[in-house]
Amino acid sequence: MSKDKIIASALSKFAKQGYYHTSLAEIAEDVGIRKPSIYAHFPSKEMIFLTLLHEAFTREQSALDIFSIQNPSQDTLHEYFFGIPVRYEKNGYLRFWIRALYMPPYDLEKEVKECDRLYSKMIDSTLNNVLQKIEMETDLLRPKIEVADAFTGLLRGIHAELLYNGAQDALKKARGMWAIFELVFSKENGRIC
């Protein structure tokens, strides 16, 4: 049970304060144990962070399942994109994930960058499949690779907005971003939000 409490405390603190502003003593106090008791579960603060990083990656991978559960469409892209600020508000793992990607601990930068590389690859693969299916039903007004790159840019932009300005501001920016992005779909099949 203490291991789960350590994870929950570290998740909250790393997501809010960052890696360097969170101490093991703080986590121990939050959990109600002594600092040396943490070592019974984790050999180091780094290992706690990496455990959270891998779990956050897995959860983001699962969030992409929306594209395999639903018939991939422009609406699915919309739902996924606008779901990010909502998930950010409710999900400590997403808050942790975004902070880790944009403000990685120097000591763990290599591991974070590797996770980000895998995440980017996963996003690219998913977008390629989604856009291929969308292309069968509607015209894309730009080449598929450009549309995929633009959507990836939207994701990075919304992540930065969430990190620096919070979910409300991010949602406002998301509406503007989406209004421009959806212009790549043919007008007869386009959706206005």
Side-chain angles (χ1 to χ4, degrees), residues 5-6 9 13 23-38:
K5 288 180 180 179
I6 292 166
S9 175
K13 293 193 180 311
S23 69
L24 287 180
E26 215 179 343
I27 293 168
E29 182 181 328
D30 192 39
V31 173
I33 59 176
R34 294 174 355 132
K35 180 181 166 185
S37 298
I38 289 178

Side-chain angles (χ1 to χ4, degrees), residues 114-129:
E114 178 59 17
C115 273
D116 189 31
R117 186 188 68 74
L118 293 172
Y119 174 67
S120 294
K121 218 172 150 180
M122 187 172 58
I123 292 285
D124 289 346
S125 173
T126 300
L127 282 175
N128 186 48
N129 292 337

Side-chain angles (χ1 to χ4, degrees), residues 51-146:
T51 299
L52 290 170
L53 183 68
H54 293 293
E55 179 61 26
F57 174 82
T58 300
R59 287 172 182 244
E60 284 311 293
Q61 192 172 24
S62 294
L64 289 173
D65 286 347
I66 187 174
F67 296 110
S68 58
I69 294 168
Q70 296 183 17
N71 184 26
S73 66
Q74 182 182 345
D75 288 336
T76 315
L77 285 173
H78 181 273
E79 185 179 336
Y80 176 77
F81 182 67
F82 280 91
I84 293 170
V86 173
R87 286 190 307 115
Y88 183 85
E89 280 290 288
K90 296 178 180 178
N91 186 328
Y93 277 100
L94 182 55
R95 285 190 302 277
F96 169 84
W97 176 250
I98 290 172
R99 186 175 189 106
L101 292 183
Y102 290 87
M103 299 175 168
Y106 177 75
D107 306 347
L108 300 168
E109 193 170 355
K110 180 181 169 192
E111 291 86 347
V112 172
K113 283 186 176 189
E114 178 59 17
C115 273
D116 189 31
R117 186 188 68 74
L118 293 172
Y119 174 67
S120 294
K121 218 172 150 180
M122 187 172 58
I123 292 285
D124 289 346
S125 173
T126 300
L127 282 175
N128 186 48
N129 292 337
V130 169
L131 292 172
Q132 203 164 355
K133 289 178 181 172
I134 289 173
E135 240 180 355
M136 287 188 245
E137 297 172 12
T138 187
D139 294 326
L140 292 176
L141 302 178
R142 299 298 306 164
K144 185 172 63 170
I145 189 73
E146 285 182 13

